[in-house]
Amino acid sequence: MNCLMSAWDKHERELRGWLRSRLGNPHDTEDMLQDLFLKAMRQDEKFCEIANARAWLFEVVRNAVADRLRMKKEQVELPDDLAAELEETPAIESLAACLPRALSELSEEDRDAITRCDLDGMSQEDYARLKDLTLPGAKSRVQRARKRLREHLSDACQVKFDDAGKACCFVPRDAKT
């Protein structure tokens, strides 16, 4: 690496001046110099085998400047008053805002079954034990609660379901209704 440091010490000032004259920006100049140094370091021992280090350094930096100028040319500056593209919120995320309200309007029994089994992740077997029900009885309770929640979401939030039974869209109701 001594040969790299020797070449760098010898040509860095000249390279910096050349880059400044081409780029006109001291920050871009320093970035390019740093990139050039890293490229030279990646050559490792091969750099010492280069017959003319100055020519190699200038060739690499000239190509980098050409690439940068080519990229700059293809870019178009956008006006400051360009409207930002609005992201459409997926229906299921918007529906999440309606769910707590619809859930609170269900009976205590339905709300409890859905909250414990669907939202909190309790198994229906554990739910059956907790409520002193048989497993088929607990499954029926959860299924009925889900059905009533679905109907309530359809009415209250105007949720529509696709052919697969998944919520696809809804119209949020006013907070006062």
Side-chain angles (χ1 to χ4, degrees):
M1 285 283 106
N2 283 341
C3 56
L4 170 61
M5 292 312 297
S6 171
W8 191 257
D9 290 342
K10 202 172 181 179
H11 304 295
E12 180 185 8
R13 181 178 290 182
E14 187 181 7
L15 287 163
R16 179 175 281 117
W18 188 84
L19 279 169
R20 272 197 191 141
S21 70
R22 298 295 188 265
L23 300 174
N25 180 332
H27 299 292
D28 290 346
T29 299
E30 294 305 317
D31 288 347
M32 292 287 261
L33 268 179
Q34 188 175 8
D35 289 346
L36 176 62
F37 186 76
L38 291 174
K39 284 180 183 173
M41 280 187 63
R42 280 190 218 116
Q43 294 295 313
D44 204 25
E45 296 300 320
K46 290 180 190 171
F47 188 83
C48 296
E49 298 170 8
I50 297 172
N52 185 345
R54 180 182 178 277
W56 186 91
L57 290 168
F58 271 94
E59 182 181 339
V60 171
V61 81
R62 186 180 59 243
N63 289 339
V65 168
D67 288 345
R68 176 174 273 200
L69 294 175
R70 199 174 304 125
M71 283 178 53
K72 220 175 195 176
K73 206 175 196 178
E74 294 171 3
Q75 296 175 349
V76 176
E77 297 233 0
L78 298 175
D80 292 335
D81 60 343
L82 184 66
E85 193 171 310
L86 297 176
E87 289 184 30
E88 189 172 316
T89 307
I92 200 71
E93 288 181 26
S94 299
L95 180 60
C98 186
L99 181 62
R101 184 174 175 169
L103 193 59
S104 71
E105 294 169 350
L106 291 178
S107 70
E108 175 65 32
E109 185 178 281
D110 288 349
R111 186 173 45 249
D112 183 61
I114 289 172
T115 301
R116 290 182 190 268
C117 294
D118 291 338
L119 300 178
D120 294 342
M122 178 183 278
S123 72
Q124 291 183 3
E125 190 176 342
D126 290 342
Y127 182 73
R129 266 189 246 116
L130 179 73
K131 295 295 179 181
D132 200 23
L133 298 169
T134 62
L135 181 56
K139 286 182 176 182
S140 294
R141 183 177 290 184
V142 170
Q143 290 301 319
R144 285 192 305 267
R146 287 176 182 162
K147 184 179 177 193
R148 285 191 274 268
L149 176 61
R150 182 185 173 112
E151 290 167 357
H152 193 64
L153 283 170
S154 294
D155 293 341
C157 301
Q158 298 180 22
V159 175
K160 294 187 175 23
F161 297 92
D162 62 16
D163 293 337
K166 295 186 178 195
C168 65
C169 47
F170 84 104
V171 178
R173 65 183 177 182
D174 287 339
K176 295 176 184 172
T177 5

